[in-house]
Amino acid sequence: MADNAHKPKSARRDMTSGAITVAAILLFVGTGSSALSSAVKYYFAAGDPTDRTLVIALLLNVALILIGWRRHNELRREVEVRTAAEERAQLLAARDPLTGFLNRRSLAEEGAALLVQAERRQKALAMLMLDLDHFKTINDMHGHATGDGLLRLVSEEIGRAMPSVALMGRLGGDEFACAFLFDPAHPDTVERIAERLVSRVAQPFVSDGLQLQISASIGIARTDHGCASIDALMRSADIAMYAAKNAGRNRFAWFDQSMERELKARNELEVGLRTAIPRQEIVPYFEQQIDLSTGRLFGFEVLARWEHPTRGLIPPEKFISIAEDIGMISDLSLSVMRQACLIAKDWEQSLSLSVNISPLQLKDPWLAQKIVKVLTETGFPASRLELEITEVALFDNLALAQSIVGSIKNQGIRIALDDFGTGYSSLAHLRALPFDRIKIDRSFVGSINVNAESAAIVNAIVRLGESLNLPITAEGIEDAAIEDRLRAMGCSKGQGYLYGRPLTAANARRLLAEKRLLRNAPAKTPDLDVSDDEARKAG
């Protein structure tokens, strides 16, 4: 009884129905033979008529058999429907409904089995992690339906590029993973597959009648190079994929241990950055800007430096991109700007500050108000502040950039176009936005005396500035010969190591005191802790 109580109701009904049917068939055999024998004797041997009760029993048996057979068919169909539903549920639990690829859990399970197979066959298992570059832009611009259509098209290309026995999975969003066996002595077979994938994904796709262009970054890991488990293999391939993205996207990269060390160092910087900004460990350094015609100091470019309590001075190329990735670039930029404004508040009024603005900040509709708040809190004059933006910042949303720059200009703040010549260098942008200055990138300036193309580009930018009545500042002046060439070309302003390395606040103040460019301060200040070499360069 206890066992029957735990069986499903349908199973108990099935057993009951089966028992009744079997009993009816047995009764039919018993009563049917008697009734049939009696009927034969009645018609052919003048026997007694068939007993009415026996006939009724026979008919009831036939009815029971028919009912039982019908119930059996119903139960069979019910089992088939339930089995199909369970199979669909298992399929949905194991597969991505959009692409039909394995999901993350199923890929890990089947990948572990494939790993065992690789060891038995003395093969290596390759894991490819593929992420679509800038896929979010497709969703934002054209909607998720178009994005889903694109994902299906990409999955078809992945299926065509993979070996026939490969595992293919979609891990979520626009991230895919593929695993297959290969001969460890011939990793070039894996590379050919990765190259084919990169090439195919870079081709235009048509989804919902729209032609879409994307690319893919792929990371590759292999089991015979320190990845003993499927989890370790997937993690290593993921690290390699991000390395491919950082290297410029639209490419693949093999995992190596240095990537993991770099990732660990980056994570440490990210954790430290979250506390370094509010603690003002990231401070302004000041690079001199010189009038080339007179040699006069007219301002400084503000550069961010992280004075780490244990790692020492960390340059901006190590942490600016991290701040952008974690959404803290605005806090960092405004913190450095605020410190610089307070430091420069009592400098000579003719001295200006140039502060770099990240492209991500130009997506903030409240940027102008935030900058005005900094100026109000510090009492720094808007006329002494110049913001430097790059052309890259203008392409995502030129209309928004125009609105923000217009609001900033209305406050009396100047705007400079930074790194001109390295990006799109569009004349339309010079017309669309009210720039006050163009800055030539150091990559051209440093080679004008050894590279004719660089000299031609610099000369063209100087002539362009003259025609638009925009002053030109050349970055990266490292020797007097470059300075002389720029002056001969008609470049008006410059900055670079020829005039000294970027200065701390204390050393900038010492320099200004010596030049008598501090307001309400004596000409000389007490000696500060500064090396002879830096003091010589500062002078």
Side-chain angles (χ1 to χ4, degrees):
M1 294 291 292
D3 289 342
N4 289 335
H6 290 88
K7 290 181 179 179
K9 290 182 179 180
S10 61
R12 293 201 297 272
R13 289 197 305 268
D14 196 11
M15 291 178 62
T16 303
S17 175
I20 292 172
T21 303
V22 170
I25 292 172
L26 293 174
L27 284 170
F28 174 77
V29 172
T31 58
S33 60
S34 299
L36 182 61
S37 175
S38 176
V40 169
K41 287 180 180 180
Y42 175 74
Y43 285 107
F44 295 102
D48 295 331
T50 304
D51 186 1
R52 182 177 295 179
T53 303
L54 191 61
V55 173
I56 293 172
L58 179 61
L59 294 175
L60 286 174
N61 282 332
V62 171
L64 285 173
I65 290 171
L66 292 174
I67 292 171
W69 182 254
R70 181 180 177 185
R71 179 56 182 159
H72 171 74
N73 284 335
E74 290 175 351
L75 288 172
R76 180 174 55 79
R77 286 194 295 270
E78 183 180 340
V79 169
E80 289 174 351
V81 170
R82 185 183 297 112
T83 302
E86 289 174 353
E87 290 175 351
R88 283 196 301 272
Q90 290 175 354
L91 183 63
L92 289 173
R95 297 275 176 176
D96 167 49
L98 181 65
T99 62
F101 282 3
L102 297 170
N103 59 26
R104 182 183 293 272
R105 179 180 60 82
S106 298
L107 181 70
E109 291 174 355
E110 296 197 23
L114 195 58
L115 180 57
V116 173
Q117 185 180 347
E119 294 171 352
R120 187 171 62 248
R121 295 174 55 187
Q122 296 184 331
K123 298 283 187 178
L125 178 62
M127 178 69 71
L128 276 64
M129 287 285 186
L130 182 149
D131 188 83
L132 300 182
D133 302 323
H134 306 301
F135 176 75
K136 184 178 182 296
T137 304
I138 301 292
N139 270 342
D140 292 344
M141 291 181 62
H142 305 294
H144 289 276
T146 300
D148 287 348
L150 178 59
L151 290 174
R152 281 191 291 267
L153 294 172
V154 169
S155 68
E156 291 172 5
E157 290 295 340
I158 292 173
R160 282 191 281 267
M162 286 296 112
S164 58
V165 293
L167 300 177
M168 293 171 288
R170 180 182 174 217
L171 307 185
D174 59 333
E175 189 173 2
F176 298 85
C178 306
F180 54 88
L181 301 182
F182 73 100
D183 185 345
H186 297 285
D188 54 302
T189 58
V190 180
E191 293 181 355
R192 283 197 296 270
I193 291 172
E195 288 172 352
R196 193 183 313 144
L197 265 178
V198 169
S199 175
R200 288 185 176 181
V201 175
Q203 300 300 314
F205 291 92
V206 177
S207 178
D208 282 354
L210 298 170
Q211 182 167 299
L212 307 173
Q213 189 85 42
I214 55 169
S215 60
S217 299
I218 299 176
I220 315 173
R222 50 192 291 179
T223 50
D224 57 332
H225 282 189
C227 299
S229 68
I230 196 68
D231 289 339
L233 187 67
M234 293 178 72
R235 180 175 179 274
S236 297
D238 200 50
I239 292 173
M241 182 264 290
Y242 280 105
K245 279 189 176 294
N246 293 334
R249 306 174 190 268
N250 193 31
R251 66 194 64 211
F252 70 87
W254 283 95
F255 170 79
D256 64 60
Q257 294 297 328
S258 65
M259 293 178 181
E260 192 162 18
R261 291 192 294 270
E262 290 173 4
L263 180 63
K264 182 179 179 181
R266 186 191 187 283
N267 289 340
E268 289 175 353
L269 287 177
E270 179 180 327
V271 172
L273 197 60
R274 296 184 184 278
T275 57
I277 295 173
R279 290 176 182 173
Q280 293 191 353
E281 292 176 8
I282 300 177
V283 299
Y285 272 49
F286 301 89
E287 182 175 1
Q288 298 175 63
Q289 295 177 321
I290 304 297
D291 186 315
L292 297 184
S293 60
T294 64
R296 181 181 62 86
L297 174 68
F298 72 88
F300 293 89
E301 180 176 350
V302 177
L303 306 172
R305 298 289 187 271
W306 186 352
E307 294 181 340
H308 197 280
T310 59
R311 299 178 61 172
L313 196 66
I314 301 177
E317 58 268 20
K318 295 288 187 180
F319 61 85
I320 292 296
S321 62
I322 298 176
E324 290 177 335
D325 290 343
I326 65 176
M328 298 194 71
I329 188 63
S330 179
D331 293 339
L332 187 156
S333 178
L334 294 173
S335 172
V336 172
M337 184 186 299
R338 182 178 288 105
Q339 294 176 68
C341 288
L342 286 172
I343 291 167
K345 187 177 178 181
D346 66 343
W347 294 356
E348 177 61 42
Q349 291 294 299
S350 61
L351 296 174
S352 64
L353 290 181
S354 295
V355 180
N356 290 282
I357 295 296
S358 165
L360 293 178
Q361 288 180 271
L362 272 186
K363 297 179 181 180
D364 180 5
W366 299 99
L367 177 62
Q369 288 83 345
K370 292 176 180 178
I371 294 174
V372 169
K373 182 181 179 183
V374 170
L375 296 178
T376 302
E377 290 173 349
T378 60
F380 192 80
S383 59
R384 293 178 58 196
L385 181 64
E386 182 177 82
L387 301 181
E388 298 184 7
I389 63 176
T390 62
E391 277 192 291
V392 175
L394 308 178
F395 277 86
D396 285 343
N397 193 333
L398 180 59
L400 178 60
Q402 286 177 310
S403 174
I404 293 172
V405 169
S407 298
I408 291 172
K409 288 279 292 182
N410 289 338
Q411 302 298 323
I413 301 169
R414 297 192 304 277
I415 304 292
L417 181 58
D418 195 15
D419 297 339
F420 191 78
T422 59
Y424 298 92
S425 305
S426 170
L427 296 180
H429 290 143
L430 291 176
R431 279 204 320 267
L433 292 169
F435 291 107
D436 298 286
R437 179 183 306 278
I438 297 175
K439 299 192 73 175
I440 309 175
D441 187 71
R442 66 182 65 248
S443 62
F444 300 113
V445 173
S447 58
I448 58 173
N449 286 330
V450 295
N451 187 305
E453 291 181 356
S454 294
I457 291 172
V458 171
N459 189 58
I461 295 174
V462 172
R463 300 284 83 78
L464 177 65
E466 289 177 351
S467 65
L468 297 175
N469 197 28
L470 289 174
I472 302 294
T473 296
E475 299 179 300
I477 303 176
E478 297 190 358
D479 58 51
I482 294 175
E483 182 187 50
D484 291 341
R485 183 74 178 275
L486 289 168
R487 191 182 295 113
M489 288 180 175
C491 185
S492 58
K493 313 287 184 182
Q495 63 187 80
Y497 288 172
L498 174 63
Y499 313 109
R501 300 271 175 172
L503 302 169
T504 64
N507 290 333
R509 189 171 185 83
R510 173 185 177 124
L511 172 68
L512 295 177
E514 291 175 349
K515 293 178 176 292
R516 300 189 179 184
L517 293 174
L518 292 177
R519 292 182 297 147
N520 304 321
K524 294 290 183 181
T525 58
D527 288 340
L528 299 173
D529 183 16
V530 57
S531 67
D532 292 339
D533 181 60
E534 185 169 358
R536 177 182 59 78
K537 289 177 180 176

